[in-house]
Amino acid sequence: MKPILFAVLLLAVTDAAGAQTAGVTPVTAISPGESLDSILRKAAHVRPSPRQVAWQELEFTCFIHFGMNTFTNREWGEKGTSPEHFNPTALDARQWARTAKAAGAGLMVMVAKHHDGFCLWPSRYTDYTVAASPWKNGKGDVIAEVAAACREYGLKLGVYLSPWDINSPIYGTDAYNTHFKNQLRELLTNYGEMSEVWFDGANGEGPNGKRQVYDWPGYYRLIRELRPDAVIAVMGPDVRWVGTESGYGRETEWSVIPATPDMLDEIARNSQQAAGSGTFTPPGNMMEEDLGGREKLKTARGFFWYPSEVDVSIRPGWFYHADQDTLVKTPEKLVDIWFSSVGRNSVLLLNIPPDKRGLIHENDVESLRGMQAILDATFRTNLAAGARFASGAGKGADKAVDDDPRTFWAPEPGAVAVDLEMDLGVVKTFDCLKLMENFRNGQRVESFILETWTGGAWKEAAKGTTIGYQRLLRFSPVTARRVRLRILDSRDTPEIAFLGLYRLPDGAKEGM
């Protein structure tokens, strides 16, 4: 399932949702000879679109890989596989949604069609669908059941539709793009709200030996027309792939990254936000350690808001395989992934593949329950709640420890290095820090340190670089009453929406 995102492509992007949202600056250009300080201030004021905000706040989403490969015990299908193979004995999409919801997920991305071309809904445009299978005597519709289950359990719904189709006889021709858009229209109009449309760039040969030139501009226009609130990931303009499938994001993760020159003239008003047509060129190597640091920005022509999604499977494979039942990631491993994805300014997309019965396997369910129990125990009590702040913190310091992420503390305008000192009231022991920026207004913090007053002096407990939507750090337990957060450097006045101190249970300490 590795997204082949980074070929050199010029992609047109359209948003038929209407005019650009007031106050949102998704893309900024840099003038020749502009100073680094000016560049950094501009980068600090690039902001996410409303659809990107809603997506980021989900934090944790689930991928559901289920289809022909489930029954043929494959990861990548092959042409000519009979629909007779698809016959789950106890398919229960409510169990999938219930499992995802209990684990804390906010959205399920359903694989509607993988590279093998088999459709999990009765598409009008091909015979290679569930309608030709023995499941429910050809009367079933997996996507409809998933959509209903998501509505019942309060989950948002996303869909993955593979552009590569090794079954379609017209793959590799202009007619295929029309066919693909017809199927995309079915998914976006027949099943209610859709919050994410997920593409990879896989492009192998079809049954005729040809490769397809994908009509990305047409795909994007259709999505913006039908589901303007849906983010397009990860072969698209709203969400990018983190660059690996390990579940681990970067220690330094910027949501603002350099834009390619081809984007700059049009994307701000046309691509991510407003009506019209523009250009979208996927950035280069997403596996680089630094995508948005100073060295990248000072040589850029401009930059845009392009946040990271971290995808990983709960099993070694993306589809269910019985011989992997003992290889399900443990709760402790999943928690470590959480800290290294959600805790590093990314959204976690965790794959949980149903088995041949059409159920999430018991071992997967058990690990997810264990993960959520550890996370609940970790973040149940914020030891910084109710703290008193030193007078030098200025007004609104209490907004950093309230439970409303829309409120925030900020120092005097122009301050980029500043301390936020607090008194916890009594001596407390903690070993976990949670920080959140007011990311709706941009990403600004470049480095910070958490210190405690111990033995008559300030001592470092933890340090980090970027914060963004959320940063989680684990460290050796410290016991103190006085604590201070030191913002060492920021691209403009920092805005801290949340500061939390916690005590980790044993299961949350793996990977420290």
Side-chain angles (χ1 to χ4, degrees):
M1 278 302 301
K2 185 167 291 186
I4 307 170
L5 176 58
F6 311 115
V8 180
L9 299 172
L10 183 64
L11 307 179
V13 186
T14 294
D15 185 345
Q20 181 168 315
T21 303
V24 173
T25 308
V27 175
T28 297
I30 300 170
S31 302
E34 197 162 347
S35 69
L36 180 58
D37 285 345
S38 176
I39 290 171
L40 293 175
R41 282 194 297 274
K42 280 188 174 180
H45 291 272
V46 176
R47 303 173 185 178
S49 67
R51 69 171 72 90
Q52 289 171 318
V53 169
W55 172 84
Q56 188 87 57
E57 290 180 331
L58 292 172
E59 297 189 359
F60 171 42
T61 62
C62 285
F63 226 161
I64 304 292
H65 277 68
F66 181 70
M68 190 62 71
N69 290 343
T70 308
F71 297 89
T72 59
N73 199 34
R74 293 178 178 273
E75 282 290 297
W76 295 63
E78 58 185 9
K79 61 182 179 182
T81 304
S82 171
E84 293 291 325
H85 287 87
F86 185 84
N87 194 18
T89 56
L91 190 149
D92 186 356
R94 297 178 70 254
Q95 188 248 7
W96 307 355
R98 188 165 57 248
T99 299
K101 185 71 172 182
L107 175 146
M108 289 196 340
V109 178
M110 183 67 206
V111 173
K113 184 192 75 170
H114 204 251
H115 310 324
D116 53 46
F118 185 73
C119 299
L120 295 187
W121 78 102
S123 175
R124 295 171 50 201
Y125 300 100
T126 178
D127 294 330
Y128 198 47
T129 78
V130 288
S133 78
W135 177 60
K136 294 194 171 181
N137 296 316
K139 303 298 183 183
D141 185 336
V142 177
I143 306 304
E145 295 193 20
V146 170
C150 285
R151 288 192 293 270
E152 179 179 350
Y153 286 94
L155 293 171
K156 293 186 176 182
L157 176 64
V159 66
Y160 165 87
L161 187 67
S162 172
W164 184 18
D165 190 326
I166 64 176
N167 177 75
S168 175
I170 59 173
Y171 185 83
T173 71
D174 290 341
Y176 177 78
N177 281 318
T178 299
H179 167 80
F180 186 81
K181 283 181 278 189
N182 284 335
Q183 291 196 319
L184 188 58
R185 183 179 292 275
E186 286 182 320
L187 292 170
L188 298 182
T189 56
N190 294 339
Y191 300 100
E193 291 298 319
M194 202 69 69
S195 298
E196 183 168 350
V197 181
W198 206 98
F199 295 132
D200 58 26
N203 190 343
E205 294 182 353
N208 52 15
K210 296 181 180 180
R211 293 179 184 269
Q212 183 69 35
V213 177
Y214 297 137
D215 178 19
W216 293 113
Y219 305 164
Y220 295 163
R221 280 193 295 270
L222 186 63
I223 297 166
R224 294 299 197 229
E225 172 195 341
L226 298 175
R227 295 296 173 191
D229 293 332
V231 294
I232 307 173
V234 294
M235 189 64 179
D238 298 317
V239 174
R240 64 177 163 85
W241 182 45
V242 74
T244 74
E245 294 179 337
S246 66
Y248 291 78
R250 294 170 183 78
E251 291 278 357
T252 300
E253 188 65 76
W254 288 103
S255 294
V256 177
I257 67 174
T260 61
D262 292 326
M263 301 168 66
L264 295 174
D265 292 339
E266 297 291 339
I267 190 173
R269 67 177 182 272
N270 294 333
S271 292
Q272 287 192 332
Q273 309 298 329
S277 61
T279 59
F280 171 74
T281 306
N285 182 10
M286 288 292 100
M287 297 185 73
E288 292 184 15
E289 191 60 32
D290 176 15
L291 295 182
R294 291 189 175 208
E295 290 300 310
K296 294 289 185 180
L297 293 190
K298 73 180 183 180
T299 59
R301 291 272 304 279
F303 23 78
F304 73 125
W305 191 275
Y306 203 29
S308 162
E309 182 176 75
V310 176
D311 63 328
V312 65
S313 184
I314 197 170
R315 292 164 168 258
W318 289 91
F319 287 89
Y320 174 84
H321 308 287
D323 60 0
Q324 296 179 359
D325 286 348
T326 60
L327 302 177
V328 176
K329 290 178 174 61
T330 65
E332 293 77 17
K333 180 65 172 177
L334 294 176
V335 168
D336 193 45
I337 286 173
W338 179 282
F339 271 82
S340 303
S341 56
V342 176
R344 293 180 180 173
N345 190 35
S346 297
V347 168
L348 173 60
L349 177 61
L350 179 65
N351 181 60
I352 47 173
D355 59 23
K356 289 184 178 181
R357 299 171 298 175
L359 300 174
I360 305 297
H361 192 274
E362 293 80 357
N363 293 0
D364 305 55
V365 173
E366 183 179 357
S367 278
L368 289 167
R369 285 175 177 166
M371 176 196 75
Q372 189 58 33
I374 294 170
L375 292 173
D376 285 346
T378 298
F379 298 110
R380 182 174 295 122
T381 303
N382 179 10
L383 299 175
R388 298 191 299 273
F389 293 87
S391 58
K395 295 182 179 179
D398 59 314
K399 302 301 183 183
V401 294
D402 66 15
D403 292 326
D404 185 354
R406 293 181 178 272
T407 63
F408 58 90
W409 164 77
E412 291 298 317
V416 294
V418 66
D419 294 350
L420 180 61
E421 183 179 337
M422 66 187 76
D423 184 335
L424 302 180
V426 297
V427 172
K428 297 180 181 180
T429 300
F430 48 90
D431 50 12
C432 177
L433 170 67
K434 176 178 177 178
L435 290 173
M436 303 177 76
E437 286 186 77
N438 178 31
F439 81 112
R440 296 171 185 79
N441 205 30
Q443 185 181 3
R444 303 181 178 187
V445 176
E446 293 187 305
S447 61
F448 65 89
I449 294 178
L450 181 72
E451 296 180 328
T452 60
W453 183 261
T454 308
W458 288 108
K459 296 183 179 180
E460 179 183 309
K463 63 181 178 180
T465 53
T466 47
I467 299 173
Y469 171 72
Q470 184 168 242
R471 186 60 181 263
L472 301 174
L473 290 178
R474 295 170 291 182
F475 45 90
S476 298
V478 293
T479 301
R481 173 172 173 167
R482 292 171 61 194
V483 180
R484 72 178 180 185
L485 174 69
R486 304 194 67 200
I487 305 296
L488 302 181
D489 216 342
S490 186
R491 294 177 172 179
D492 204 342
T493 307
E495 297 181 354
I496 304 301
F498 187 79
L499 187 158
L501 299 172
Y502 304 92
R503 186 67 191 270
L504 298 169
D506 290 340
K509 295 180 179 180
E510 181 176 313
M512 288 180 57

